[in-house]
Amino acid sequence: MHFFLDVALPLPLKDTFTYVITSAEAKCIQPGMRIIVPFGKRKQYTAIALKVHQNPPKAYEPKHIEGIIDRSPVLSTIQLSFLQWISSYYQAPLGLVIRTALPTVMLLESETEIVTHHWDTISAELTKGARLLLDQLPQNSVLTLTQIQQLILVKNPYPILKELAKPGYISLKEEVYAQYKPKTQSEIILHPNMNSDNALKSKLYELSANAKQHKTFLTFLQQRAPVVVSEFSKLETVSPSSLKTLIKHQVLLKQERIIDRLPAKTASDEVLLPLSLSQEEAKNSIDEFWKSKEITLLHGVTGSGKTEIYMHLISEQLAAGKQVLFLVPEIGLTTQLMQRLYRFFGQHLAVYHSKYSPTERAETWEKVNTTNSKSLLVLGARSAVLLPFQDLGLIIIDESHETSYKQYDAAPRYHARDAAMVLGRMHNAKVLLGTATPSIESYRHAKNEKYGLVSLTTRFNKAKMPEISFVDLSKAYQKKQMNGHLAQELIAAVGQTLDAHKQVLLFQNRRGYASFVECSQCAHVPQCQSCDVSLTYHQVNNELRCHYCGYVEPYTPACVACGTITPQTQGLGTQQLEEEVRQLFPLARVARMDLDTTRKKNAHKNLITAFARHEIDILIGTQMITKGLDFEHVTLVGVLSADNFLHFPDFRAHERAFQVLTQVAGRAGRVGDSSKVLIQTFQPKHPVLKYVQEYDYLSFYEQQLIQRDQFAYPPFVRMIRIELRHKNMATLLQAGDWLKKGLHERFSFVLGPAPPPVGRIRNYFILYSLIKLPLDASQTSAKERLEKLLESFAQVGVFKQVKVVTDVDPQ
């Protein structure tokens, strides 16, 4: 009787694959275990076991598996079902979803080993390339393919290696390498021979004849466990050679102990502070809603104390032995939250995001995957929703409106907020959405009683909301009241704030020095070679950079078109703003927070910590500084330009403008100090700005709902965006026409194809098509129709090189 195993390979392949297994293997293999399987001509991969059965595949002869890595599943039944849901809902290959979910060090892949043998002569029948390589190869050695490529500078050395393998000069072998190894620490302990008092006294008397060994042994006896070899050897009274001798003579014993890369808290956790009356009422309302609903929306103004409510809810879940997932939209927000959570839950806390190394993420994965682990509270960004929770009781999604929860760049293009709600349902866990500016969709669900709705309308400790006012840029320029890009009113406010020994946040959502450089004579603007965008000027490195593909070229003042040396910078970036602020306030301590200054692992943490300690007076930043951060000395927030948000070509533009401006305003006056927000704009009477000024979310929501209904946008429809990419515009247009006909035959409401605002990125021209689906239509049926259409599209010969990307629920 034959047994077969279906597996998912960690590759962007739609199908699963079937392999032959023995009856013994069939008994021990469980879904979610890692299996080594051959795939293709030479490679081996770590696949995930899905199903054991007795139905052979009809389309191909199945191969046998190479081995079983795990004794128990690394993906639980619930986790595997969750990843399969992501694959199905977001139209992404299951293998790619698994590759995203598992830490890279857990996905082993094979590398060809080249084993060289002994030879006396080199055959004249070998080609020139083979003889050249053989001359450089050491005999009776093992080399990797990378090392071979470095020896002969050939991209694909396989033909030469095969030529050398036939006469037996070398042999090729595929080995699977495990990249992950637990971190160990060398420690020394007393050898078991020395456990008795008599043995110790005797050994000390014996060593008294050797001063160095005697002193080293005495020093060891005075140490507290664990005695780490690297630290112990540095002590003045320790002789490294004597230490080796004591270990050799079985006086001391050296051992390796597995330790965490992320140190655990040893001190006791602090007791939570009591909630205020309004916070207590909000918490009780949340608990009441959870009796009948899985999801509750906590709509609390900035500074209302939502985090304190979170911590009391977390405490209850941890006391019940449940796991808790605390999601934040960006890595930068984990710094302050981690410090607050560490005080009260440090013995249970684990942090998970992409700034940690692969091995650190693998350790967190292992902890979460262990049912008896103390790491019950996980704080993380988007990818933390993919961790293998065993007994999840609560999911908190802070700043739940944030578009950063959506994966944009690569498949699977999942939305962590929406995926977390599905994960909560699978675990029977409660979900809390916390935000001061809910998304239109979330708030409508709450108003329709699909979610519970709890509101906090006042700040903690009765602190007042900042006063928001506008600086009319058109009048300021007309009256010559501008100094660079700052109006006199904003400059005066910054000066007053600094005089009062308070802090300032200045928000400009564009990094770099200037948006572009323009020749004052011929109006030439340097463009990216691969994208349809102008190059952004970065003064720090004196370079022009594309923010889409990363292309960089050195900046030269001379115009490449006409040779004139009269360049003009256009637009304002954070670097230029920093320069202007330093000139205006030379005594102020100024710092900048944007992608350029926070690339290193601890850069976020260092900047935020320095600002919190009042080591920085003025912090300039992009959207990184607008949300979730809590600084007690900030009493002034300046927004350099609100107009970019209001006129972006997107149906969510006004929603995002309201959210960003409200959030950045909420950074001021959080501990009760009188505070203000100054927003520079050419349209101070714009209706969205009026709603922001009055903190009137409900009126803004109702106005947006009317527009969304009128033009058929979410929450009244569901959307799927199809993106086509090709390097040849004519082929792309032909593909767009073909797809357009197919979409109109299958769906009643299709927009496009049309190019996006940036129509070419990395030398690929782009076309978007948008499918709008009624809420009462079957999502599954619609996706099946779309999938069949795209399969037909891929079969058309001329379109085989056209890249197709499906984005479900685009943001």
Side-chain angles (χ1 to χ4, degrees):
M1 185 178 292
H2 296 287
F3 289 90
F4 301 91
L5 173 66
D6 291 342
V7 302
L9 285 157
L11 298 169
L13 301 171
K14 174 189 168 187
D15 300 318
T16 58
F17 294 86
T18 303
Y19 289 82
V20 179
I21 56 174
T22 64
S23 58
E25 289 169 336
K27 290 179 182 178
C28 70
I29 292 177
Q30 302 174 49
M33 292 173 64
R34 292 178 297 167
I35 312 294
I36 301 175
V37 298
F39 190 74
K41 293 182 179 179
R42 294 181 288 266
K43 294 288 286 182
Q44 294 176 3
Y45 287 93
T46 302
I48 297 295
L50 299 177
K51 181 183 179 182
V52 175
H53 58 85
Q54 294 180 304
N55 303 316
K58 297 178 181 179
Y60 55 90
E61 186 68 27
K63 299 177 182 179
H64 202 288
I65 67 171
E66 294 289 342
I68 304 169
I69 297 177
D70 306 303
R71 294 183 179 181
S72 59
V74 295
L75 295 174
S76 66
T77 304
I78 291 179
Q79 184 70 2
L80 199 53
S81 298
F82 177 57
L83 299 182
Q84 288 171 327
W85 174 85
I86 290 178
S87 170
S88 173
Y89 185 84
Y90 291 103
Q91 301 285 277
L94 177 59
L96 207 55
V97 177
I98 290 173
R99 190 177 189 91
T100 304
L102 283 169
T104 53
V105 294
M106 297 179 69
L107 291 170
L108 320 180
E109 294 184 11
S110 67
E111 182 174 339
T112 300
E113 278 188 345
I114 296 88
V115 181
T116 64
H117 306 299
H118 176 75
W119 63 85
D120 293 318
T121 59
I122 298 176
S123 171
E125 296 179 2
L126 294 176
T127 63
K128 182 180 178 181
R131 290 198 304 271
L132 180 65
L133 175 59
L134 208 55
D135 279 336
Q136 300 181 67
L137 285 179
Q139 297 186 27
N140 299 319
S141 300
V142 179
L143 294 92
T144 65
L145 190 61
T146 303
Q147 290 171 319
I148 295 293
Q149 288 171 322
Q150 291 172 348
L151 285 176
I152 57 174
L153 300 177
V154 174
K155 188 174 182 181
N156 181 19
Y158 271 112
I160 296 175
L161 294 174
K162 282 186 175 181
E163 183 183 353
L164 294 176
K166 283 182 180 179
Y169 290 105
I170 66 169
S171 57
L172 304 179
K173 184 182 178 184
E174 288 288 325
E175 289 291 342
V176 174
Y177 292 96
Q179 296 173 309
Y180 171 66
K181 293 181 181 178
K183 185 177 182 180
T184 59
Q185 180 173 272
S186 296
E187 298 176 355
I188 48 175
I189 60 173
L190 202 61
H191 197 280
N193 296 338
M194 300 288 109
N195 279 342
S196 68
D197 289 342
N198 289 335
L200 269 177
K201 290 178 181 177
S202 174
K203 182 56 64 177
L204 283 168
Y205 178 77
E206 180 186 331
L207 291 176
S208 61
N210 188 313
K212 287 186 177 180
Q213 289 185 26
H214 188 263
K215 188 178 291 186
T216 299
F217 189 44
L218 279 176
T219 304
F220 168 78
L221 295 175
Q222 295 167 359
Q223 303 300 306
R224 289 185 179 181
V227 180
V228 182
V229 173
S230 59
E231 298 174 2
F232 183 69
S233 301
K234 294 176 183 177
L235 298 177
E236 291 182 2
T237 54
V238 173
S239 165
S241 59
S242 296
L243 178 60
K244 288 181 181 178
T245 304
L246 292 172
I247 294 171
K248 181 181 179 181
H249 291 164
Q250 297 186 345
V251 179
L252 300 176
L253 179 64
K254 182 179 178 181
Q255 63 182 15
E256 299 294 321
R257 184 171 67 89
I258 295 176
I259 60 171
D260 284 345
R261 284 179 169 84
L262 307 174
K265 183 179 180 181
T266 54
S268 300
D269 290 335
E270 297 180 23
V271 179
L272 286 172
L273 300 173
L275 296 175
S276 68
L277 181 60
S278 59
Q279 289 172 330
E280 188 68 41
E281 290 175 352
K283 180 186 173 298
N284 292 338
S285 298
I286 292 168
D287 289 331
E288 191 62 33
F289 274 120
W290 276 344
K291 292 178 181 178
S292 57
K293 303 180 190 300
E294 298 172 338
I295 303 165
T296 295
L297 173 63
L298 175 58
H299 179 202
V301 298
T302 55
S304 57
K306 296 186 290 294
T307 305
E308 292 297 325
I309 297 175
Y310 298 159
M311 290 197 289
H312 279 260
L313 294 171
I314 290 168
S315 179
E316 293 176 354
Q317 293 295 323
L318 295 180
K322 295 283 188 179
Q323 292 178 313
V324 179
L325 171 60
F326 196 137
L327 283 176
V328 292
E330 291 185 4
I331 294 170
L333 298 182
T334 60
T335 301
Q336 277 197 333
L337 264 176
M338 182 171 65
Q339 292 169 352
R340 293 181 69 177
L341 294 173
Y342 190 81
R343 286 177 56 198
F344 305 104
F345 311 111
Q347 295 184 349
H348 304 280
L349 181 64
V351 184
Y352 190 86
H353 55 65
S354 59
K355 287 285 185 180
Y356 284 109
S357 69
T359 46
E360 287 170 335
R361 294 202 297 274
E363 286 192 0
T364 301
W365 173 283
E366 292 290 349
K367 289 179 182 179
V368 175
N369 201 23
T370 305
T371 51
N372 61 352
S373 171
K374 285 187 176 182
S375 295
L376 298 174
L377 169 59
V378 177
L379 171 66
R382 182 175 58 223
S383 58
V385 77
L386 302 175
L387 286 169
F389 294 97
Q390 298 296 307
D391 191 11
L392 193 59
L394 171 63
I395 301 175
I396 296 170
I397 307 171
D398 196 25
E399 309 292 353
S400 63
H401 64 280
E402 272 294 326
T403 55
S404 302
Y405 281 120
K406 173 73 172 180
Q407 169 76 16
Y408 287 101
D409 297 332
R413 290 170 171 80
Y414 67 100
H415 197 299
R417 179 195 65 208
D418 299 342
M421 291 190 277
V422 173
L423 180 66
R425 192 181 310 125
M426 290 182 172
H427 281 272
N428 292 320
K430 302 304 180 185
V431 179
L432 183 65
L433 309 177
T435 175
T437 53
S439 69
I440 300 298
E441 292 92 330
S442 295
Y443 201 74
R444 186 165 188 264
H445 286 319
K447 296 295 282 186
N448 290 344
E449 299 184 356
K450 182 178 179 180
Y451 304 164
L453 176 60
V454 177
S455 298
L456 276 171
T457 57
T458 58
R459 283 187 151 185
F460 180 73
N461 246 357
K462 298 182 180 179
K464 292 182 179 180
M465 297 297 291
E467 177 189 345
I468 299 177
S469 56
F470 304 108
V471 178
D472 190 336
L473 287 178
S474 58
K475 291 183 178 178
Y477 277 108
Q478 186 179 6
K479 296 179 179 179
K480 298 183 179 180
Q481 295 175 343
M482 298 293 295
N483 193 326
H485 292 86
L486 284 79
Q488 290 293 343
E489 186 177 348
L490 179 56
I491 294 171
V494 172
Q496 292 169 6
T497 305
L498 297 178
D499 290 342
H501 303 290
K502 298 296 181 180
Q503 292 173 295
V504 179
L505 281 179
L506 294 179
F507 170 49
Q508 172 61 13
N509 200 37
R510 181 176 292 275
R511 65 189 176 98
Y513 187 85
S515 303
F516 58 91
V517 178
E518 181 182 53
C519 176
S520 60
Q521 295 298 314
C522 69
H524 171 76
V525 175
Q527 299 286 311
C528 177
Q529 296 180 352
S530 305
C531 309
D532 286 344
V533 292
S534 57
L535 294 173
T536 301
Y537 175 48
H538 286 250
Q539 189 186 51
V540 173
N541 301 315
N542 199 37
E543 63 187 18
L544 299 171
R545 187 184 303 170
C546 176
H547 288 176
Y548 284 85
C549 72
Y551 169 78
V552 174
E553 66 179 46
Y555 168 70
T556 55
C559 175
V560 296
C562 69
T564 305
I565 308 180
T566 54
Q568 290 183 336
T569 57
Q570 303 290 342
L572 176 67
T574 49
Q575 289 180 11
Q576 186 175 357
L577 178 58
E578 181 184 14
E579 181 183 277
E580 291 184 6
V581 170
R582 288 186 184 278
Q583 291 174 353
L584 289 167
F585 304 99
L587 299 180
R589 296 166 295 178
V590 182
R592 172 167 51 90
M593 180 184 283
D594 55 26
L595 187 61
D596 297 321
T597 61
T598 57
R599 293 185 186 276
K600 294 183 180 179
K601 181 176 179 179
N602 294 315
H604 275 108
K605 178 182 177 181
N606 294 339
L607 272 171
I608 290 170
T609 302
F611 194 64
R613 291 176 177 171
H614 209 154
E615 295 168 4
I616 298 169
D617 298 314
I618 303 174
L619 181 62
I620 297 164
T622 56
Q623 284 198 49
M624 292 181 179
I625 67 170
T626 65
K627 51 213 167 190
L629 300 174
D630 191 355
F631 302 115
E632 61 179 85
H633 299 296
V634 175
T635 58
L636 175 65
V637 171
V639 179
L640 274 293
S641 176
D643 303 303
N644 294 337
F645 295 102
L646 297 172
H647 301 297
F648 196 78
D650 179 33
F651 77 95
R652 296 186 193 274
H654 286 180
E655 179 183 5
R656 287 175 180 159
F658 181 90
Q659 290 169 342
V660 168
L661 295 175
T662 302
Q663 289 286 341
V664 73
R667 299 314 105 205
R670 296 177 70 90
V671 295
D673 291 330
S674 177
S675 59
K676 66 168 75 173
V677 179
L678 287 178
I679 300 176
Q680 296 188 161
T681 174
F682 285 97
Q683 301 177 83
K685 295 184 179 179
H686 195 287
V688 172
L689 297 182
K690 193 68 174 175
Y691 294 132
V692 171
Q693 186 178 37
E694 297 174 354
Y695 298 100
D696 189 357
Y697 175 81
L698 189 57
S699 297
F700 170 75
Y701 161 78
E702 291 171 348
Q703 178 262 345
Q704 282 290 296
L705 213 58
I706 294 170
Q707 291 186 2
R708 301 277 184 94
D709 189 16
Q710 182 179 355
F711 296 104
Y713 279 106
F716 298 99
V717 296
R718 305 297 291 270
M719 298 195 306
I720 302 176
R721 187 175 67 197
I722 311 300
E723 178 183 318
L724 301 180
R725 292 185 176 222
H726 197 271
K727 291 186 176 181
N728 184 284
M729 183 53 130
T731 303
L732 184 67
L733 291 173
Q734 187 181 353
D737 288 338
W738 190 99
L739 188 62
K740 179 181 179 180
K741 293 175 183 177
L743 290 174
H744 279 283
E745 288 173 1
R746 291 162 177 80
F747 303 99
S748 57
F749 203 161
V750 179
L751 297 177
V758 180
R760 183 174 63 105
I761 297 177
R762 293 184 175 90
N763 281 324
Y764 280 91
F765 295 96
I766 307 169
L767 286 177
Y768 283 166
S769 295
L770 193 65
I771 305 169
K772 293 184 178 182
L773 301 172
L775 295 179
D776 56 358
S778 169
Q779 303 290 313
T780 303
S781 173
K783 289 172 184 175
E784 288 174 353
R785 296 197 302 273
L786 177 61
E787 191 172 346
K788 289 179 181 178
L789 174 63
L790 295 180
E791 286 175 359
S792 301
F793 176 85
Q795 298 304 313
V796 181
V798 71
F799 301 150
K800 286 189 176 180
Q801 298 301 316
V802 176
K803 294 185 177 183
V804 182
V805 173
T806 303
D807 190 359
V808 179
D809 298 339
Q811 294 294 303

